[in-house]
Amino acid sequence: MNYLKSSYAYWDIIYLLPKRSRGYIKRCSAFTACITLSACASFSQDGGFAVVQQTATDKLHKNVQWIKSDVDRQQVNDRNKELLAQALTVDAAVQLALLNNKGLQASFDTLGIAESDLVQAGRMSNPGFSFSRLRRGDEVEFDRGISFNIARLIAMPLTSKMERHRFEQTQRQVMMEMLIMAAETRKAYFIAVAAEESVRYLQQVKRSAEAGAELAKRMKAAGNFNSLQEARELSFYSDAALNLARADQARIRSRERLIRLLGIDQFSEENTGVTSFKLPERLPDLPDVLTLTDVKTESDEEATVINKLVVQRLDVQAAKLNTQQLAESLGLNKVTRFINVLELGGVRNTSNQQATQHGYEVRLELPLFDWGTARTAKAEALYMQAVNQANQTALEARSEIREAYANYRASYDIARHYRDEVVPLKKRISQENQLRYNGMFISVFDLLADARSQITSVNSAIDALKDFWLAQADLEMSMTGKPSMISSQSTVISVSGSAAEH
């Protein structure tokens, strides 16, 4: 009520003033209103980054920082040194990637681009000003005019809403890229640790094979081995050396991939003083029970649970926002189909021999040749394309969640089978052979043959444990976005068939 009273009082005062003053004040008021409307569209303090930070806290339990200044960069460097002071854990690896990955920082910059478009859409276009000086004999005429783009002012609510949805869509895409990068870092970490563990094991195998080959040579020289027996041991040594070379190649490849994701280059000038990271010697143990049981494929409520997870996925939300934005674009195209240009302005002509002329000018585009059908048809096609893509995204999301959970369960069962059945059995066989060797019932070559038979099972156990952790990362990712679900490249282990038969 106070606002209405003050408004009435304002207009009462205006009408008490002389006519010329009233016109001047009205023009000033209109200009002030335009400036005020333009000032309403301004940049936010966080640039839309607070939502991304909150997602990192809720989904990853990590901190994320948009580096904009030297102070931010120094804070990140200090945090890097703190995380790299000890053997790298999977959580530390994800945190390092969130802070240092330059590709992720580039994704954050897209927020600034999208917000600039949003602010621009909420601001009025600058008025146009025209001036002319005409002479006819002794008469000199000055024409002055100022015009505003009324069409853009009318469409401003629609364009602002469209840009708002586009900005929210960009936020979800940035969050998606952040979660994907975290999942890829988690997987790269497990692959790198498994590769390091395989290399260490194959180094032991190579040393054993080297000792066996040297012993075989001496046995052959002493006449206790024939050429076939010697060749079998030498072949096994050759295979062991080859397998170690392949494992080392895989180790280097996996480590470099992890370095790229972490965004830490020890040879870069920006990271002077940052030492290289150290990986643990072995993968984390297999948990006794499954921790991710939100998706219960055996339950009758499977569809309900999966649909809830699909709604939470950021790629589905982004596809939905894209559809809404294109629907609003379609509406805008229909509104501006016939009149796309409409400008209104005031005109003031002065002459040294005639009275001053006042008036207004309207400029609009006549729809004689272009009725806007092409723009509308394109907008309709883009909208239908977005609808179909959104439906496909939702369908793929449901399938990916089911696949990721099935892979998670199967990987757990396989890894547990290796842990509880295969490896204990191999260990028991090894212990029995050791007892027989101590009792001089078998030779040292029988012991080497037994160790040879364990190579495949040990590496398979390492790969099974690695696949479980990768499957868990894929399942976690499938609940929030699109998982990659690319199977890891296992270390190729070959054992000489002839040697195995020894």
Side-chain angles (χ1 to χ4, degrees), residues 5 66 70 118 219 264 304 343 385 455 474 491:
K5 288 179 180 178
W66 189 357
D70 292 338
L118 173 62
M219 294 286 283
I264 294 178
T304 304
E343 292 183 356
Q385 183 187 44
I455 296 174
D474 282 336
T491 305

mmCIF file of all heavy atoms in Angstrom, residues 5 66 70 118 219 264 304 343 385 455 474 491:
data_model
loop_
_atom_site.group_PDB
_atom_site.id
_atom_site.type_symbol
_atom_site.label_atom_id
_atom_site.label_comp_id
_atom_site.label_asym_id
_atom_site.label_seq_id
_atom_site.Cartn_x
_atom_site.Cartn_y
_atom_site.Cartn_z
ATOM 1 N N LYS A 5 0.711 4.300 -2.691
ATOM 2 C CA LYS A 5 0.541 5.690 -2.282
ATOM 3 C C LYS A 5 1.671 6.559 -2.826
ATOM 4 O O LYS A 5 1.477 7.658 -3.317
ATOM 5 C CB LYS A 5 0.483 5.783 -0.754
ATOM 6 C CG LYS A 5 -0.804 5.238 -0.168
ATOM 7 C CD LYS A 5 -0.793 5.340 1.344
ATOM 8 C CE LYS A 5 -2.089 4.801 1.929
ATOM 9 N NZ LYS A 5 -2.072 4.854 3.400
ATOM 10 N N TRP A 66 37.574 -23.868 -8.970
ATOM 11 C CA TRP A 66 37.712 -23.196 -10.266
ATOM 12 C C TRP A 66 38.865 -22.204 -10.135
ATOM 13 O O TRP A 66 38.744 -21.178 -9.452
ATOM 14 C CB TRP A 66 36.405 -22.496 -10.608
ATOM 15 C CG TRP A 66 36.338 -21.948 -11.996
ATOM 16 C CD1 TRP A 66 37.323 -21.970 -12.946
ATOM 17 C CD2 TRP A 66 35.224 -21.316 -12.596
ATOM 18 N NE1 TRP A 66 36.877 -21.393 -14.097
ATOM 19 C CE2 TRP A 66 35.594 -20.975 -13.922
ATOM 20 C CE3 TRP A 66 33.938 -20.991 -12.167
ATOM 21 C CZ2 TRP A 66 34.727 -20.336 -14.792
ATOM 22 C CZ3 TRP A 66 33.063 -20.353 -13.025
ATOM 23 C CH2 TRP A 66 33.454 -20.028 -14.330
ATOM 24 N N ASP A 70 46.064 -16.366 -8.938
ATOM 25 C CA ASP A 70 47.294 -16.964 -8.423
ATOM 26 C C ASP A 70 47.086 -17.522 -7.017
ATOM 27 O O ASP A 70 47.727 -18.505 -6.632
ATOM 28 C CB ASP A 70 48.404 -15.910 -8.411
ATOM 29 C CG ASP A 70 48.814 -15.507 -9.820
ATOM 30 O OD1 ASP A 70 48.572 -16.297 -10.753
ATOM 31 O OD2 ASP A 70 49.362 -14.399 -9.985
ATOM 32 N N LEU A 118 23.413 -15.677 -20.883
ATOM 33 C CA LEU A 118 22.199 -15.456 -20.083
ATOM 34 C C LEU A 118 22.036 -13.983 -19.722
ATOM 35 O O LEU A 118 20.942 -13.417 -19.839
ATOM 36 C CB LEU A 118 22.273 -16.322 -18.819
ATOM 37 C CG LEU A 118 21.175 -16.090 -17.780
ATOM 38 C CD1 LEU A 118 19.812 -16.416 -18.369
ATOM 39 C CD2 LEU A 118 21.437 -16.931 -16.536
ATOM 40 N N MET A 219 72.998 -78.841 -16.023
ATOM 41 C CA MET A 219 72.604 -80.253 -16.061
ATOM 42 C C MET A 219 72.919 -80.843 -17.425
ATOM 43 O O MET A 219 73.325 -82.007 -17.531
ATOM 44 C CB MET A 219 71.121 -80.387 -15.750
ATOM 45 C CG MET A 219 70.741 -79.981 -14.328
ATOM 46 S SD MET A 219 71.233 -81.176 -13.077
ATOM 47 C CE MET A 219 69.967 -82.405 -13.303
ATOM 48 N N ILE A 264 48.886 -33.772 -13.513
ATOM 49 C CA ILE A 264 50.142 -33.416 -12.847
ATOM 50 C C ILE A 264 51.290 -33.829 -13.744
ATOM 51 O O ILE A 264 51.457 -35.005 -14.052
ATOM 52 C CB ILE A 264 50.268 -34.116 -11.476
ATOM 53 C CG1 ILE A 264 49.195 -33.592 -10.543
ATOM 54 C CG2 ILE A 264 51.639 -33.890 -10.878
ATOM 55 C CD1 ILE A 264 49.206 -34.233 -9.196
ATOM 56 N N THR A 304 10.899 -49.939 -10.728
ATOM 57 C CA THR A 304 10.715 -48.713 -9.951
ATOM 58 C C THR A 304 12.054 -48.150 -9.490
ATOM 59 O O THR A 304 12.297 -46.945 -9.588
ATOM 60 C CB THR A 304 9.828 -49.012 -8.724
ATOM 61 O OG1 THR A 304 8.610 -49.583 -9.176
ATOM 62 C CG2 THR A 304 9.541 -47.741 -7.955
ATOM 63 N N GLU A 343 10.888 -1.505 -34.615
ATOM 64 C CA GLU A 343 11.601 -0.454 -33.912
ATOM 65 C C GLU A 343 10.701 0.767 -33.786
ATOM 66 O O GLU A 343 9.973 1.124 -34.713
ATOM 67 C CB GLU A 343 12.883 -0.067 -34.669
ATOM 68 C CG GLU A 343 13.942 -1.165 -34.664
ATOM 69 C CD GLU A 343 15.220 -0.740 -35.360
ATOM 70 O OE1 GLU A 343 15.255 0.374 -35.903
ATOM 71 O OE2 GLU A 343 16.170 -1.531 -35.353
ATOM 72 N N GLN A 385 13.789 -33.687 -32.829
ATOM 73 C CA GLN A 385 15.079 -34.363 -32.680
ATOM 74 C C GLN A 385 15.468 -34.454 -31.208
ATOM 75 O O GLN A 385 15.940 -35.496 -30.734
ATOM 76 C CB GLN A 385 16.146 -33.599 -33.456
ATOM 77 C CG GLN A 385 17.507 -34.254 -33.429
ATOM 78 C CD GLN A 385 18.582 -33.372 -34.060
ATOM 79 O OE1 GLN A 385 18.638 -32.183 -33.818
ATOM 80 N NE2 GLN A 385 19.415 -33.964 -34.889
ATOM 81 N N ILE A 455 51.315 -69.323 -12.609
ATOM 82 C CA ILE A 455 51.435 -67.975 -13.176
ATOM 83 C C ILE A 455 50.100 -67.462 -13.676
ATOM 84 O O ILE A 455 49.656 -66.352 -13.356
ATOM 85 C CB ILE A 455 52.478 -67.980 -14.318
ATOM 86 C CG1 ILE A 455 53.862 -68.317 -13.764
ATOM 87 C CG2 ILE A 455 52.497 -66.636 -15.029
ATOM 88 C CD1 ILE A 455 54.907 -68.478 -14.835
ATOM 89 N N ASP A 474 32.099 -48.300 -12.571
ATOM 90 C CA ASP A 474 31.093 -48.155 -13.631
ATOM 91 C C ASP A 474 29.683 -48.085 -13.049
ATOM 92 O O ASP A 474 28.852 -47.305 -13.524
ATOM 93 C CB ASP A 474 31.192 -49.336 -14.609
ATOM 94 C CG ASP A 474 32.357 -49.174 -15.566
ATOM 95 O OD1 ASP A 474 32.788 -48.029 -15.796
ATOM 96 O OD2 ASP A 474 32.840 -50.198 -16.088
ATOM 97 N N THR A 491 46.893 -58.033 -18.819
ATOM 98 C CA THR A 491 48.243 -58.405 -19.208
ATOM 99 C C THR A 491 48.234 -59.787 -19.838
ATOM 100 O O THR A 491 47.682 -60.731 -19.286
ATOM 101 C CB THR A 491 49.157 -58.418 -17.979
ATOM 102 O OG1 THR A 491 49.074 -57.144 -17.352
ATOM 103 C CG2 THR A 491 50.577 -58.712 -18.369
#
